[in-house]
């Protein structure tokens, strides 16, 4: 009987021990999960701050212009008789582009030439008579100046007639043809555009603080988008304005682009001017910087009590270039900074580094 009681008591004690042990283990696991949820480690990517050599640049928006370019128009009005060019045609200086109906002007020229011819004969006759004292000095002078007046009238009429023939003022490529015979052209109407594409310029403006960077022959880099890529061209400053604009406090600059550039007048470009020789700077990726109205900062990763912790670090930034930014103060070469995952971070959070995958960056 006693032995049975002892066995029952031992079994009950063992059962209660197991129950209390399971309960204690469950409570421990719950507390562990709650602690982990209260202070989770954030997965981020990082990089090491480095020193690089960089030449600071000044950027501006420019526009491509031709070495010679003009909108061809007529000084007189009239009906188009002939159009002597095709769209996109290469023309030479003096080549006829278009003729207008000159009305009665050709007849007036013929009449004036006949009158001048008669005046020449009369002047010659009067001069011969005056040589033998058969006429007066007054008659000889009148005949001479009448001839000069008639010759001048012929020149004026020929110049007026020439305005009805539109010629290329220089060699180049014409634009689109928009006129046909029979159309009426008003004075000042654009007939076509003419551009000399042998050489091109880029015009741009720079702030007055950067005027000292500009000198004749200074190299500039011209960048444009072509399809889905950036294309760079080299140019050199050929001229700049003699004053700074009162409205914008900027100076206009013109640079000549190297021959052979596949550019067209009117294109907008980015222009970069090297402002100094390359020098060592501390640079970090732009994505690492959290820009804030109260000050810019990065998250610096360092070990604390054997674990990696991200700490907010205020910084002062300088110029931006190629997806990077110069750091003037706040971090030093060799420090590790967070480059992705900042949106989930608070200063002092534990972090896990994973540079093998593309992580979500801050928006």
């Amino acid at each position: 009987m006693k032995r049975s009681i002892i066995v029952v008591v031992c079994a009950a004690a063992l059962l209660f021990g197991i129950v209390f042990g399971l309960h204690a283990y469950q409570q421990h696991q719950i507390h562990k999960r709650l602690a982990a949820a209260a202070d989770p480690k954030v997965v981020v990517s990082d990089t090491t701050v480095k020193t690089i050599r960089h030449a600071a640049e000044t950027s501006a928006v420019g526009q491509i212009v031709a070495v010679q370019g003009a909108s061809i128009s007529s000084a007189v009005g009239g009906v188009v008789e002939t159009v002597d060019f095709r769209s996109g045609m290469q023309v030479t200086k003096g080549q006829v582009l278009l003729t207008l109906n000159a009305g009665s002007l050709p007849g007036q020229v013929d009449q004036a030439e006949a009158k001048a011819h008669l005046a020449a004969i009369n002047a010659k006759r009067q001069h011969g008579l005056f040589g033998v004292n058969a006429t007066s000095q007054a008659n000889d002078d009148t005949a001479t100046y009448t001839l000069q007046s008639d010759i001048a009238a012929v020149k004026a009429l020929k110049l007026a007639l020439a305005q009805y023939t539109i010629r290329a003022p220089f060699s180049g490529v014409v634009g689109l043809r928009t006129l046909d015979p029979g159309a009426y052209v008003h004075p000042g109407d654009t007939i076509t555009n003419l551009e000399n594409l042998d050489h091109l310029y880029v015009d741009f403006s720079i702030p007055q603080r950067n005027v000292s960077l500009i000198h004749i022959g200074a190299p500039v880099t011209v960048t444009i988008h072509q399809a889905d890529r950036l294309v760079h061209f080299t140019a050199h400053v050929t001229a700049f304005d003699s004053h700074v604009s009162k409205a914008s406090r900027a100076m206009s600059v013109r640079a000549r682009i190297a021959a052979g550039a596949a550019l067209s007048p009117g294109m907008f470009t980015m222009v970069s001017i090297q402002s100094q020789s390359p020098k060592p700077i501390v640079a970090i990726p732009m994505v690492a910087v959290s820009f804030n109205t109260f000050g810019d900062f990065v998250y610096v990763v360092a070990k604390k009590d054997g674990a990696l912790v991200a700490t907010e670090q205020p910084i002062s930034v300088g110029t931006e270039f190629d997806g990077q930014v110069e750091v003037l103060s706040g971090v030093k070469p060799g420090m590790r900074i967070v480059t992705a995952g900042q949106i989930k971070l608070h200063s002092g959070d534990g972090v896990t580094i994973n540079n093998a995958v593309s992580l979500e960056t801050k928006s």
Side-chain angles (χ1 to χ4, degrees):
M1 184 67 179
K2 291 183 179 179
R3 178 177 294 180
S4 298
I5 294 174
I6 293 172
V7 170
V8 170
V9 170
C10 290
L14 179 61
L15 179 61
F16 280 114
I18 292 172
V19 170
F20 283 116
L22 288 173
H23 179 72
Y25 176 76
Q26 290 174 347
Q27 291 298 316
H28 174 72
Q29 292 297 320
I30 290 173
H31 286 299
K32 185 177 180 181
R33 286 196 294 270
L34 289 175
D39 187 21
K41 289 189 176 181
V42 180
V43 179
V44 299
S45 62
D46 74 341
T47 189
T48 302
V49 179
K50 298 178 181 179
T51 299
I52 65 172
R53 294 187 63 81
H54 175 69
E57 294 181 339
T58 297
S59 298
V61 176
Q63 180 174 337
I64 302 299
V65 296
V67 66
Q68 286 180 302
S71 293
I72 307 302
S73 59
S74 174
V76 296
V79 177
V80 177
E81 282 195 340
T82 64
V83 179
D84 302 290
F85 69 92
R86 302 183 307 275
S87 298
M89 179 181 177
Q90 179 76 40
V91 298
T92 57
K93 182 178 180 179
Q95 182 174 332
V96 175
L97 302 178
L98 180 140
T99 58
L100 302 176
N101 189 322
S104 62
L105 264 179
Q108 295 178 39
V109 172
D110 292 341
Q111 183 181 19
E113 287 180 333
K115 187 178 178 182
H117 183 65
L118 178 60
I121 295 173
N122 187 45
K124 183 177 180 181
R125 181 183 297 115
Q126 289 295 325
H127 186 67
L129 292 174
F130 180 72
V132 295
N133 296 320
T135 188
S136 65
Q137 177 73 56
N139 289 338
D140 185 51
D141 290 343
T142 299
T144 299
Y145 290 112
T146 297
L147 173 60
Q148 293 178 359
S149 177
D150 289 344
I151 291 174
V154 170
K155 289 182 179 179
L157 286 171
K158 284 185 175 180
L159 288 174
L161 180 60
Q163 291 183 322
Y164 288 82
T165 301
I166 314 303
R167 299 177 181 273
F170 51 85
S171 298
V173 178
V174 294
L176 298 179
R177 168 180 165 170
T178 58
L179 292 172
D180 291 302
Y184 186 85
V185 174
H186 294 87
D189 285 353
T190 298
I191 295 170
T192 188
N193 292 315
L194 178 62
E195 307 282 355
N196 183 344
L197 304 180
D198 291 340
H199 295 284
L200 298 172
Y201 291 118
V202 57
D203 288 348
F204 58 96
S205 297
I206 60 170
Q208 64 178 24
R209 66 177 180 273
N210 295 325
V211 169
S212 60
L213 305 178
I214 293 298
H215 59 272
I216 301 299
V220 299
T221 301
V222 179
T223 303
I224 66 166
H225 280 277
Q226 285 189 350
D228 58 349
R229 62 193 182 97
L230 292 175
V231 182
H232 306 284
F233 300 92
T234 301
H236 291 85
V237 174
T238 58
F240 47 86
D241 212 336
S242 59
H243 70 286
V244 173
S245 169
K246 294 181 180 179
S248 62
R249 299 302 173 188
M251 176 180 284
S252 298
V253 183
R254 171 168 289 181
R256 186 168 181 172
I257 301 174
L263 301 171
S264 297
M267 284 183 172
F268 280 96
T269 69
M270 288 301 298
V271 180
S272 300
I273 310 162
Q274 186 171 307
S275 60
Q276 59 188 17
S277 300
K279 66 176 184 179
I281 64 168
V282 176
I284 61 176
M286 283 280 294
V287 294
V289 184
S290 297
F291 294 97
N292 194 292
T293 54
F294 301 103
D296 306 326
F297 63 90
V298 296
Y299 285 101
V300 175
V301 178
K303 280 191 175 182
K304 184 177 181 180
D305 298 330
L308 291 177
V309 176
T311 305
E312 188 176 300
Q313 175 63 42
I315 62 171
S316 176
V317 298
T319 56
E320 302 173 7
F321 58 96
D322 299 332
Q324 299 189 79
V325 63
E326 178 185 7
V327 179
L328 304 178
S329 63
V331 295
K332 296 180 179 179
M335 287 184 172
R336 296 171 66 186
I337 58 173
V338 175
T339 56
Q342 302 97 313
I343 195 171
K344 300 173 287 186
L345 275 178
H346 297 87
S347 187
D349 284 350
V351 295
T352 299
I353 304 300
N354 185 353
N355 292 325
V357 295
S358 176
L359 301 174
E360 179 186 4
T361 59
K362 55 187 173 65
S363 57

